[in-house]
Amino acid sequence: MSFPFLPSGWCRRLLGFFAGCLLLLLDVTATERARRLVMAAEGEPAVHAALAALPPEGGIVELGAGTFRITHPIILDRDGVELRGQGVETKLVLGPKANCPVVIIGREGTRPDRLVRRVTVRLLFIDGNRAEQEFECWGGPCDEQGRTAIRNNGITIRGAEDVLVEDVSTVHARSGGIVLEKHCRRIRLARVEAYENEFDGVAAYETEDSEFTALNLHRNRSAGFSFDWRFNRNRVTDCNASDNGSQGIFMRDSIWNVFERLTLNNNGEQGIFMAETRELPGTACRYNRFSKVTVTGNRTQGIRINDRSCNPNTIEDSLVRGNRLEDVSLADFGQLEIVRPREN
């Protein structure tokens, strides 16, 4: 095709413009076909039905404002799926004695049979209603059989890659706020608030190459963050973990992680606790770097490194002051390199 009244360069640009418009139109059409809107009045069954109705390539299930009573987890176990609400106006509230997680990203088998990829959860308020749950685990006492290996968290992410959770609050879970497990990679949590959960605000096990940014974890009964097994090469930035029952950050078996611009104060025990799992050799915390961290007012130590094997680690440009027992407590001399300590 040519336009004799235009220079050849303009012809190519015009054809490129038309082709771009066509591709954009096709993309918008595909997105519209893959979108399902569920209103609160339709209830939980409509959410499960909308997810099941998405095409093989995935799509979006959008929840309207209002309260959705949950009696069975919302399970996102297919690739390319997004669950989206309207912010705090969209509430997922676990029903009495439901004894299950609210949202699961990944497969529900005790050992996930495959990885789930490219899942997004955003703009939701999740209430685990812990006061009306009987068990910490799905359907009964933990780890007895089947689903009881899965804790009743606000969001459980298991065996997943390239997942985004953003602009979400998760509160009152019978176990943790958000928990990653069973080999997770490239997970991003952004602008998440977790409070008044029975155990940790955010916990991550077998998690690599992931990012946690702008998280506010407070008033959880255990730790703000818990990194307890194979937590490697991750980045935690611009977060607050304060007023939690035990630590701001609890770490074991964690290597090559970066923590920047964190506030860890008024926690019931340490601001940062690092150790090894003594029954498992090779599970020390090593090569972790803390930068521009504020650790103040914690009720035992600001930083406690509990085992000699946790060496080396570095803290730089940080303020560690005014913690009740000690500011820095080490199991062995030289475990923590302190660079350019801040005075205020």
Side-chain angles (χ1 to χ4, degrees), residues 128 130 133-137 152 172-176 198-199:
R130 74 179 189 204
Q133 309 306 313
E134 302 164 297
F135 304 106
E136 183 196 348
C137 292
N152 296 332
H172 305 145
R174 179 61 183 81
S175 191
E198 183 71 21
F199 292 104

Side-chain angles (χ1 to χ4, degrees), residues 42-107:
E42 299 176 80
E44 176 196 341
V47 180
H48 300 306
L51 288 166
L54 291 175
E57 64 271 19
I60 300 169
V61 170
E62 183 170 357
L63 307 182
T67 298
F68 292 79
R69 299 289 177 184
I70 305 300
T71 59
H72 187 277
I74 297 173
I75 300 176
L76 309 176
D77 61 357
R78 297 166 50 198
D79 297 348
V81 171
E82 176 176 337
L83 180 69
R84 175 192 301 174
Q86 311 300 318
V88 295
E89 292 82 11
T90 302
K91 295 180 173 64
L92 307 181
V93 179
L94 196 63
K97 299 183 180 180
N99 294 310
C100 66
V102 182
V103 175
I104 297 176
I105 300 172
R107 308 285 282 180

Side-chain angles (χ1 to χ4, degrees), residues 20-244:
C21 289
L22 179 59
L23 288 173
L24 180 61
L25 178 62
L26 291 173
D27 183 61
V28 170
T29 302
T31 300
E32 289 303 318
R33 284 200 306 267
R35 185 187 300 267
R36 301 288 187 274
L37 176 63
V38 181
M39 305 307 294
E42 299 176 80
E44 176 196 341
V47 180
H48 300 306
L51 288 166
L54 291 175
E57 64 271 19
I60 300 169
V61 170
E62 183 170 357
L63 307 182
T67 298
F68 292 79
R69 299 289 177 184
I70 305 300
T71 59
H72 187 277
I74 297 173
I75 300 176
L76 309 176
D77 61 357
R78 297 166 50 198
D79 297 348
V81 171
E82 176 176 337
L83 180 69
R84 175 192 301 174
Q86 311 300 318
V88 295
E89 292 82 11
T90 302
K91 295 180 173 64
L92 307 181
V93 179
L94 196 63
K97 299 183 180 180
N99 294 310
C100 66
V102 182
V103 175
I104 297 176
I105 300 172
R107 308 285 282 180
E108 65 181 83
T110 302
R111 296 179 179 271
D113 55 5
R114 69 172 180 86
L115 289 172
V116 174
R117 297 179 170 91
R118 303 184 309 281
V119 172
T120 298
V121 174
R122 54 163 53 110
L123 296 166
L124 293 171
F125 185 95
I126 297 172
D127 188 337
N129 189 16
R130 74 179 189 204
E132 297 191 80
Q133 309 306 313
E134 302 164 297
F135 304 106
E136 183 196 348
C137 292
W138 190 356
C142 292
D143 301 316
E144 287 197 346
Q145 58 183 356
R147 293 169 171 172
T148 60
I150 301 177
R151 270 58 181 170
N152 296 332
N153 307 307
I155 299 177
T156 298
I157 306 173
R158 53 198 328 268
E161 294 183 344
D162 303 305
V163 168
L164 171 63
V165 177
E166 64 178 3
D167 299 306
V168 167
S169 296
T170 175
V171 308
H172 305 145
R174 179 61 183 81
S175 191
I178 299 179
V179 177
L180 288 64
E181 62 179 12
K182 303 296 183 183
H183 303 289
C184 291
R185 297 182 62 206
R186 298 185 301 278
I187 311 299
R188 176 175 167 82
L189 306 187
R191 299 182 300 280
V192 165
E193 183 176 25
Y195 62 91
E196 295 180 4
N197 296 290
E198 183 71 21
F199 292 104
D200 308 310
V202 169
Y205 316 108
E206 297 177 297
T207 297
E208 298 180 339
D209 305 315
S210 296
E211 182 176 358
F212 305 78
T213 186
L215 275 56
N216 184 14
L217 314 179
H218 58 103
R219 304 198 314 276
N220 298 288
R221 289 195 170 184
S222 290
F225 288 103
S226 178
F227 307 129
D228 200 14
W229 188 27
R230 297 180 183 173
F231 183 79
N232 302 327
R233 301 186 309 276
N234 302 290
R235 190 176 187 89
V236 183
T237 63
D238 301 294
C239 295
N240 169 68
S242 299
D243 300 296
N244 296 290

